[in-house]
Each structure stands twice: as structure tokens, then as C-alpha cells.
Amino acid sequence: MNYNLAVIPGDGIGPEVVEQTLRVLDKIGEKYGHSFTYTKVLAGGCAIDATGGCLPQETIDICKKSDAVLLGAVGGWKWDTLPGNERPEMALLGLRKELGLFANLRPALLFEELAEACPLKAEIVEGGLDIVVVRELTGGIYFGEKGFKETDLGPAAYDVEQYAEEEVRRIAKVAFDMAMKRDKKVTSVDKANVLESSRLWRRVVAEVGKDYPEVELNNLYIDNAAMQMVRNPKQFDVIVTSNIFGDILSDEASMITGSIGMLPSASLATGNFGMYEPVHGSAPDIAGKDMANPMATILSAAMMLRYTFGLGQEADDIEAAVKKVLAEGYRTPDIAKPDETAIGTAKTGDLIVAAI
Ligand code: IPM
Ligand code: MN
């Protein structure tokens, strides 16, 4: 079977980590008799330089016509002085909205081999950590009405947090379905003691939960959830939350695994379409130096195989190859200990390809 991918290498280390990921996909194709066709498109800072805008219409059109999208990273110092709405990061918001990517899955997995990198005490994470943050991605305060107005205190700016019941329902279903395949536990995170939109959120999540009697549903306020994440993260299985709370909690969850450079993500639309990207950013300080860790992007490609193409065995193969390379002691600089010799981006790719 042939799969058509739109590929957005982007900025900074994006192109390097994407290059290794395409090699890994080609190896999977060779092993299992699939072929992957890549159409590279521009988004982010490189698109600003080439076209004047961070998300050209051509990019949107090609992404829409493809079976899935693979993205490296966008942004960098060069564009840091642009006004907020012209920055490279706006390409991400545009892609999410245009492609209908309402469900963002951000697994936070503690790799046994890297357990020492976890900043929490060993007894707190003993036995490992395996959390998935299911973040609503196309609604809430990111996309609500925004603007400026005069107030008693002078000029003010505002952004509206708003959720339609249907937006909550569809993300809740994703979370409960996910929980059914895991430990059957959903924690819904909101601020229902203060926000009207959170009270609606909590009510709708509970309604959806009735269709999943086997899944245990808990509700936490965001402040408490942020605290519980470092106090006792093992209590979490699937966390479902709004766009802004999910942005914050997923960074916290990834940090406690100690290896943000290792974590993949998936952003899914209705049906099987999705965009896959590493959780980390464009790291302009190490771009072009063959120092970046390509594992997060490679693991994102594994999520693509699993969620968009239904190729579970192939995805398992990639994950096993990454684990093998770690178990053999190979580390890029971001995860190497001071006494370890680090390997580069390309060598990491070589080893993973060989392990497949
Ligand atoms: C993320 C990022 C983005 C977000 C920014 C870059 C717009 O922080 O993907 O988590 O806030 O969603
Ligand atoms: Mn973020």
C-alpha cells in the first residue's frame, strides 16, 4: 500500500530530525512492503522567509490532500521580533484549525533506560510513568473572540474562553476510547469552581462517561492537577482537558519524564487523519550541528502508523528499535550523562534503521 505524507521539516532542528524519520519510515516500508511518498511543504519561519507568510495556502492544500502530516518544528530567534500574530508558531494554530485537528494526544512515558533523568524522587515514579494527556486543540481561549477595549482602568485586551457542548463531547470520547485501551481511568481537568465554560465541560464529560461504565472518571481542578502531577503522577492514566490547561499540563507531564526530547505527539481530526510532531521545539541553538535527538519525531511517525494507518505491528517495531538503541547505551547529548560519549542525529538514525 502507498501512503502519501505531507512533510513539514520547518525550522531549526526540524529538518534534521525529519530526515532521520523518513529514513526510518523507508526502512519500515522495505520490511513490510509499504511505500511512503513524501511531499515537502513550507510552514513557520522558513515559509515567512520564502513567501512572507508562515502558512502558505499551498501548504494547507497539500496537507488536506495527503493521508497524514509529519512536522519537525517551527520557530527561531530570527523571527522573535515579529508581532505576535505573524510569528512562525501561528502556523501551528492555522494547521490545527484548517485541518480540524481537535484531539491532541501527548503521551508522557518514563523510559526505564532514562529513569535517572526524571527530576522527581525515585520513589515517586517507581515502577514507571505512563500518562496520556488528551488536549482539546481547536477551541477554547486560543480560538475564542479576542480584542482590545477601553475600560475604567484604561486600555485593556481580552481573549474569550468558550466551549460548545459538541466540542467537549468529541474530545471526551477520544479520551474514554483511549482509556478503554489502557488502564480505564480518565481524569478530567477544569476550573469548574470558577468558570462557566468549565462547568459545562464537567457536565458533558460526565454524560459521555455514562457510555463507558468500565472507565473510572475523576474530576480535578487545574491547580490541584498541576500539584498532583508532581506529588503523585502515578495516579494518572488518561487526562482530558481544555486547550490552554492541556498546553500547560502536557509540558509539566513531559518534564517529569525527564526526556522532553523523547516525546512524540499526535493531533487528530475526525476519521483517521492526523498531524504528527515531536513535543520539543526547534532548538535553534543546536540546529545544523548533528546534535539533535531524532527519537521524538521517529516515535511520532510510529504514532502515525498506529493511529492513521492502523499499522500496529510496524509502530511496535519502531518503538522497539528505539528502546533497543537506548538499552545498548547510545545517547544524544540531551539525554547523555556527563560521563557518557554522546552520538549525533544521523548516527541515531543509522542505529534505529539497523535495529528495524
Ligand atoms: C504547543 C505550543 C503551541 C501551543 C504554541 C507554539 C502556539 O506551545 O504545541 O504546546 O501553545 O499550543
Ligand atoms: Mn505548549
Side-chain angles (χ1 to χ4, degrees), residues 89-90 92-93 96 104 106 135 137 142 243 247 250-251 277:
E89 291 86 346
M90 289 302 106
L92 292 178
L93 299 190
R96 291 169 186 172
N104 185 209
R106 297 189 168 185
R135 169 189 177 192
L137 203 59
Y142 273 58
N243 204 340
D247 180 43
S250 62
D251 260 33
E277 61 181 303

Side-chain angles (χ1 to χ4, degrees), residues 108-131 227-236 252-259:
L109 189 71
L110 186 74
F111 290 83
E112 241 170 89
E113 296 81 1
L114 304 176
E116 278 175 58
C118 171
L120 299 181
K121 284 197 193 119
E123 64 257 34
I124 296 182
V125 291
E126 209 187 323
L129 265 188
D130 184 355
I131 302 170
M227 184 266 276
Q228 296 295 337
M229 184 69 78
V230 287
R231 196 188 72 92
N232 176 21
K234 277 191 286 184
Q235 70 185 284
F236 297 118
E252 191 187 13
S254 64
M255 188 59 224
I256 65 171
T257 69
S259 44

Side-chain angles (χ1 to χ4, degrees), residues 248-272:
I248 300 164
L249 267 192
S250 62
D251 260 33
E252 191 187 13
S254 64
M255 188 59 224
I256 65 171
T257 69
S259 44
I260 185 161
M262 298 286 307
L263 299 177
S265 78
S267 303
L268 306 175
T270 310
N272 294 329

